[in-house]
Amino acid sequence: MPTTPDATLSDAPASAAPDDAAPGAADARMWNRLTALHAQVEARLATVLQRRHGLGLSEYRALGLLAEAPKSELRMQELATGLGLNQSSVTRLVARLGAADFTYRDLCPDDRRGVYTVLTDAGRVRHREARATYEEALTGALDEAAVGAPELAPLLGAARSALG
């Protein structure tokens, strides 16, 4: 089909125009909104935890995973998986927690190559102190997101109902 200056988008071959109505395009827009929401909420949580409790977001989450674990200990790989971090990132994270006396490292008695990260009493106290701040900031950020982006309100409401 020849293209002239008067040609419209409907005159172009179907493959030449992006199909914004395709399910993939709608999913991409939805996913972009969700990742933007995630980034916004994570930034707020990180800021408030650092300012009020001197904890990074990953540090707070690591303390939480350890607090919930049997005997308050996890293998390094379990901690990495629970946090969604790679092994080297978790090693640095555990070093920071250890330097703050929130955790210590212990060898696995059954497998000398295995290393556990164990929560200390000080780590348990710091996590408990920070938990209310985390929950308050999270609720506030999600509430603000629902008001600031009304199209997300039904999704957030459904997620709270289903998962809450």
Side-chain angles (χ1 to χ4, degrees):
M1 173 182 302
T3 304
T4 64
D6 296 331
T8 65
L9 193 54
S10 62
D11 294 332
S15 61
D19 187 1
D20 286 340
D27 285 346
R29 285 191 305 275
M30 179 267 309
W31 191 249
N32 288 339
R33 293 299 308 262
L34 289 176
T35 57
L37 172 64
H38 178 265
Q40 176 186 346
V41 171
E42 291 280 283
R44 181 167 174 175
L45 292 171
T47 298
V48 73
L49 285 172
Q50 188 64 51
R51 286 182 181 163
R52 294 187 191 170
H53 302 281
L55 288 175
L57 192 50
S58 293
E59 293 165 342
Y60 169 80
R61 290 185 175 140
L63 294 176
L65 288 172
L66 291 166
E68 294 173 0
K71 299 188 206 175
S72 297
E73 64 184 23
L74 290 171
R75 282 182 175 255
M76 293 288 281
Q77 186 57 47
E78 293 171 317
L79 192 56
T81 300
L83 294 170
L85 297 175
N86 63 39
Q87 193 68 37
S88 64
S89 295
V90 167
T91 298
R92 290 190 303 273
L93 171 74
V94 167
R96 289 191 307 272
L97 293 172
D101 293 324
F102 295 149
T103 64
Y104 65 91
R105 298 175 88 175
D106 196 17
L107 292 178
C108 175
D110 302 330
D111 176 5
R112 293 286 180 202
R113 293 172 297 158
V115 177
Y116 283 101
T117 301
V118 183
L119 186 64
T120 64
D121 289 340
R124 187 176 310 283
V125 167
R126 180 60 59 94
H127 179 261
R128 190 177 316 120
E129 292 169 348
R131 185 173 44 219
T133 300
Y134 176 89
E135 291 170 356
E136 178 184 308
L138 177 59
T139 297
L142 292 174
D143 288 347
E144 286 176 18
V147 170
E151 69 279 8
L152 293 177
L155 174 65
L156 292 172
R160 283 173 161 165
S161 295
L163 303 173

